Amino acid sequence: MLPCDTFCFLSDNTAMRKAHPFFLLVVLLATTTLIPNCSRPTPTPFNWRAHVSTLAGDGSPAGFSDPFGIAIGRDGAIYVADAGENNAIRKLTTQGTLITLAGGNHVFNTPSGLAIDTDGNIYVADTSNNRIRKITIAGVVSTVAGTGVAGYLDGPANAAQFDGPIGVAVDARGNIYVADTYNDRIRKISSEGQVSTIAGAGRPGYADGESTTALFDTPCALVVSVDGTLYVADTGNNQVRQITTTGKVTTLPVSFSAEPNRSSLRSPTGLSLTHDGFLYVTELDRGTIIQIAPDGKACVIAGNGSGYADGLGDAARFNKPTGVAIDPRNGDLVVADAANYLVRRLSHSEAHAEVGTTTAPTEILPRLTPETLGEEGLLWPFDPQDRPHEVVATMGEVRGRFDSTDSRDHLHSGLDVSGTFGEVVRAIRSDKVTSPMPNWGFDSLSEGLRVGIISYIHMYVGRDKEGKPFDDPRFVRVNSDDGKLARIRVRRGSRFRPGDALGTVNRMYHVHLIVGPSGAEINPLSLSPVGFSDKIAPTIEKDGIQLFDESGNRFSEKQNGRLLVRGRVRIVVDAFDRTDMNSERRRLGLYRLGYQLFKSNDEGAVAGASGPAAKLEPAADFTVPRITIIFNRLPQSDEAPKLAYASDSGITVYGSKTTRFLYEVTNIIRDGSGTAGVWDTTSLPKGNYLLRIFAADCSGNEAQQGRDLLIAIK
């Protein structure tokens, strides 16, 4: 039986009435008999703002490992293709219970797209098995098409070949449509079990036209309308494509007239189609959910950059959203929030958002810790992997831009490990590729590859320093029309184990390691790289503690050797770190900073004293240090670099005369966010004090010299 909204759409569809009058009569009889209260579905509003809530998941890979595809049954049950280490199809019941419907025991390998037919059977794009699978309502798994060998072959379903299919759809007649992702083709499995090619010339590119000449680039999702038109998320081309029943391919014209800061889609990965022709699209890299009206007008209904937050419209945050499905009961959406390891609901009303949801995680997501990752110590990206290598940059360091004079443009997002040109870069943990397009920047200095939670940057991906591709089937050579190497392709689901060669170091002479997805990067040193040793305490430069008033004027007046301060004060500290393996010239950023105030007088403890004289009495509200800066996660706001660092900070690589880190210690930088702060001295009694700065590295070493400043509050 078809759902009510499908019948109503059929009855409104002129082409369907003309082409299939008998089919429509059958639907009419079934609907009259079985759905006596059927009414026309509510028209889909354009440019609505979604109420986003969290349905399932704890925000760590210990729960969902790689939630990708989403499908919803007529009863509202939600099905999730959970790839990664789980390789299972999960079911979230309407009562909120999460169970495993099928999988485990090597049944699936990186299941991706899902679709449901009118009988409730689920179809799975089993990506790394190169097959299309079927799960009956009883949970029985069978193979619909594909031999399991990556390739391209039409014909009988049991002999046909696919190459990493990611998207799947099914029509009312039982025909199955496949986004054959790494063949760059759209395929059809007929209800009689024959596989054919609908469109695509078999190589990545962009061209509209007839079925045999049209080009796609890594198509990842597709939906089929009642009249047989296919819509394809052409991920690599940043487009949605249309395919008519005759095989003609066109590009859907998309206009963001209501979004002045947008002009196009980016990495469309999931698709869903309403009863009245509206499309919903997930943008993998922007973390947004897009609505496209039948006339091509487009808008953002939820999301605004990477991260995690429930809320309304652009106040919500997603991290690598993939699959999207429409709840047939109310028109709400359900989205796989892949890199947050969650399933989210997008509701038309706040009331819907509250129904059936679990308690939203209150922590910063995703939760990537040694416990949730199962890591006891991170290996190094160069041989020997079980011995330390020189660290040449740490998370949170200030960075400029080559094309700008701004020395505080962004913050360094990970860990730089020194390497020589052409040195082999090796995988540091066992993980699978989750993104359909995990590598970028071919032949540029910023070229990189993301495997699971780790990004490896500044290397020739899958090839040696001469540009020769590795003899490894995980790295697929893509040539240009003239036969030259144009790019390297890495399939979703590819498994890399510790020690596997990923590429070679380019002219940046180091590899940049990022742990965590964009918008949720964690400090790689928190995963305790094997053998890493740092016994050298950070250095606070001479006269490195600087105090300013709210107008930016530096306090300089002294009395009896004490700096006179008053009012609301900014504390700036000039400091740097170095590890055991660094040369004297190397300057690294700090991990933790803060300050504490002690009572002081001329007979008491003095700055820099040790032993009995160092026993100081904390001032009011300063019984413990105020730790204000911790680079445990990368702050995401555009203002973060200027909140963390004062002017004149910068590094020589981006044009600064010297590498210098001037920390704004009264501002708050921690847990991925940043806010402006100030030290209000007006709440303290006037008198003499000692201001002590806490400056520590990730190993816990604290600066001892230059940390104290004698002051008098007036």
Side-chain angles (χ1 to χ4, degrees):
M1 184 183 70
L2 294 176
C4 174
D5 62 348
T6 302
F7 161 70
C8 294
F9 184 73
L10 285 170
S11 66
D12 284 343
N13 191 283
T14 302
M16 198 65 188
R17 290 201 309 269
K18 290 180 179 179
H20 305 282
F22 177 73
F23 178 74
L24 183 59
L25 177 61
V26 171
V27 173
L28 176 61
L29 291 173
T31 303
T32 303
T33 304
L34 299 175
I35 315 178
N37 296 321
C38 180
S39 60
R40 291 180 182 273
T42 303
T44 302
F46 177 65
N47 201 18
W48 58 284
R49 290 294 181 262
H51 294 266
V52 179
S53 57
T54 299
L55 276 174
D58 66 357
S60 84
F64 287 115
S65 182
D66 175 22
F68 194 93
I70 292 283
I72 305 178
R74 287 164 48 198
D75 62 350
I78 298 167
Y79 300 90
V80 183
D82 187 14
E85 305 303 322
N86 289 339
N87 291 313
I89 308 303
R90 317 286 290 277
K91 178 180 179 180
L92 182 64
T93 69
T94 53
Q95 291 76 38
T97 302
L98 184 65
I99 62 174
T100 297
L101 179 67
N105 298 319
H106 309 290
V107 175
F108 299 103
N109 189 351
T110 318
S112 298
L114 298 179
I116 297 181
D117 68 15
T118 55
D119 293 325
N121 299 303
I122 299 170
Y123 296 88
V124 183
D126 194 0
T127 303
S128 293
N129 279 329
N130 303 296
R131 289 183 168 109
I132 304 302
R133 316 295 291 280
K134 175 182 176 180
I135 308 173
T136 68
I137 55 176
V140 178
V141 180
S142 61
T143 297
V144 175
T147 63
V149 176
Y152 170 66
L153 184 65
D154 284 338
N158 61 0
Q161 291 182 337
F162 302 88
D163 191 350
I166 288 178
V168 64
V170 60
D171 67 19
R173 302 171 193 81
N175 298 306
I176 301 167
Y177 302 89
V178 180
D180 192 3
T181 303
Y182 301 108
N183 274 323
D184 300 292
R185 290 179 166 106
I186 306 304
R187 316 282 291 280
K188 177 181 177 179
I189 309 169
S190 71
S191 55
E192 291 79 29
Q194 291 292 313
V195 177
S196 59
T197 298
I198 292 178
R203 59 184 175 86
Y206 175 66
D208 287 337
E210 300 304 319
S211 61
T212 56
T213 58
L215 295 176
F216 300 87
D217 189 339
T218 323
C220 285
L222 72 174
V223 290
V224 56
S225 69
V226 174
D227 66 5
T229 300
L230 287 171
Y231 297 90
V232 179
D234 191 4
T235 307
N237 282 320
N238 300 310
Q239 303 283 357
V240 173
R241 315 288 290 280
Q242 291 174 294
I243 308 175
T244 67
T245 54
T246 62
K248 187 175 181 62
V249 178
T250 58
T251 299
L252 185 69
V254 176
S255 170
F256 284 92
S257 57
E259 307 283 345
N261 296 323
R262 279 177 168 264
S263 59
S264 63
L265 296 169
R266 182 185 296 172
S267 57
T269 302
L271 278 183
S272 196
L273 180 66
T274 70
H275 64 88
D276 49 358
F278 286 78
L279 284 167
Y280 292 107
V281 185
T282 60
E283 290 188 302
L284 185 73
D285 294 330
R286 279 184 174 147
T288 49
I289 315 301
I290 305 297
Q291 181 190 40
I292 304 175
D295 62 1
K297 291 181 179 178
C299 63
V300 177
I301 64 167
N304 182 21
S306 298
Y308 168 72
D310 286 340
L312 178 63
D314 60 6
R317 295 290 185 275
F318 302 86
N319 218 319
K320 306 295 182 185
T322 51
V324 56
I326 300 170
D327 191 329
R329 302 170 301 169
N330 50 32
D332 289 349
L333 306 182
V334 175
V335 170
D337 190 3
N340 279 328
Y341 309 101
L342 299 172
V343 174
R344 317 282 292 280
R345 179 181 290 279
L346 283 67
S347 301
H348 287 268
S349 71
E350 190 171 6
H352 284 178
E354 298 298 325
V355 175
T357 61
T358 59
T359 301
T362 57
E363 303 164 80
I364 305 297
L365 297 185
R367 293 193 299 113
L368 301 177
T369 66
E371 292 74 27
T372 62
L373 295 174
E375 291 288 347
E376 295 181 358
L378 213 58
L379 294 175
W380 294 86
F382 302 121
D383 290 330
Q385 289 193 273
D386 59 351
R387 296 183 184 177
H389 296 256
E390 184 183 8
V391 171
V392 293
T394 59
M395 172 177 275
E397 293 179 7
V398 68
R399 291 291 186 267
R401 289 169 57 101
F402 291 116
D403 58 352
S404 171
T405 58
D406 185 1
S407 64
R408 296 178 294 161
D409 177 76
H410 63 281
L411 299 177
H412 192 251
S413 57
L415 189 73
D416 287 354
V417 182
S418 180
T420 59
F421 176 68
E423 188 172 2
V424 174
V425 179
R426 301 193 181 278
I428 61 176
R429 74 187 302 264
S430 181
D431 219 334
K432 289 165 67 175
V433 170
T434 58
S435 171
M437 302 184 71
N439 55 312
W440 60 88
F442 181 79
D443 256 357
S444 72
L445 289 177
S446 61
E447 184 176 357
L449 168 68
R450 181 174 180 80
V451 181
I453 65 164
I454 308 290
S455 293
Y456 306 79
I457 307 173
H458 305 315
M459 66 177 183
Y460 301 115
V461 174
R463 57 200 195 282
D464 64 20
K465 65 180 180 180
E466 305 299 332
K468 181 181 178 181
F470 291 166
D471 184 17
D472 185 332
R474 292 172 294 187
F475 299 103
V476 180
R477 177 176 183 145
V478 177
N479 291 336
S480 59
D481 291 339
D482 60 5
K484 295 181 180 179
L485 182 66
R487 72 197 237 202
I488 293 291
R489 209 173 208 178
V490 184
R491 300 177 182 90
R492 168 173 160 79
S494 297
R495 165 76 72 180
F496 290 91
R497 292 179 170 81
D500 286 354
L502 302 177
T504 54
V505 175
N506 65 22
R507 294 291 182 183
M508 291 295 284
Y509 301 100
H510 69 267
V511 65
H512 177 48
L513 299 176
I514 298 176
V515 179
S518 176
E521 299 92 338
I522 66 170
N523 197 314
L525 291 176
S526 68
L527 299 180
S528 303
V530 174
F532 179 69
S533 176
D534 180 12
K535 298 181 178 64
I536 299 177
T539 297
I540 296 176
E541 296 277 32
K542 183 179 179 182
D543 299 323
I545 305 174
Q546 306 169 12
L547 305 186
F548 297 84
D549 64 21
E550 284 190 289
S551 299
N553 300 308
R554 184 173 176 179
F555 291 104
S556 59
E557 183 181 357
K558 290 187 176 182
Q559 186 178 81
N560 297 326
R562 294 179 179 274
L563 186 67
L564 301 182
V565 299
R566 61 182 61 82
R568 294 160 64 85
V569 176
R570 283 175 48 226
I571 303 174
V572 174
V573 176
D574 189 351
F576 66 91
D577 190 31
R578 189 169 61 244
T579 72
D580 297 354
M581 299 186 70
N582 293 139
S583 65
E584 287 287 333
R585 66 178 180 83
R586 180 70 63 190
R587 293 190 172 199
L588 303 179
L590 275 64
Y591 176 72
R592 181 173 60 115
L593 293 104
Y595 62 102
Q596 188 173 15
L597 192 68
F598 296 93
K599 296 177 182 179
S600 176
N601 54 60
D602 293 337
E603 291 79 29
V606 296
S610 59
K615 294 180 179 179
L616 300 167
E617 180 183 352
D621 298 326
F622 279 95
T623 55
V624 295
R626 294 182 181 178
I627 302 301
T628 53
I629 296 178
I630 304 179
F631 288 113
N632 56 343
R633 285 180 176 264
L634 191 70
Q636 294 307 308
S637 70
D638 293 337
E639 298 78 22
K642 293 177 176 62
L643 288 171
Y645 293 93
S647 58
D648 294 330
S649 296
I651 66 171
T652 55
V653 172
Y654 289 95
S656 297
K657 291 182 179 180
T658 60
T659 294
R660 194 177 184 194
F661 303 123
L662 294 163
Y663 294 95
E664 292 272 8
V665 178
T666 37
N667 291 339
I668 310 297
I669 304 289
R670 61 192 307 168
D671 300 328
S673 64
T675 56
V678 70
W679 173 31
D680 188 355
T681 67
T682 61
S683 62
L684 292 164
K686 294 179 181 179
N688 295 336
Y689 296 90
L690 182 144
L691 177 65
R692 173 164 291 174
I693 299 299
F694 284 80
D697 57 30
C698 204
S699 297
N701 301 304
E702 293 183 2
Q704 300 297 314
Q705 301 298 318
R707 64 178 180 169
D708 295 337
L709 179 66
L710 294 173
I711 66 171
I713 297 177
K714 297 299 183 182

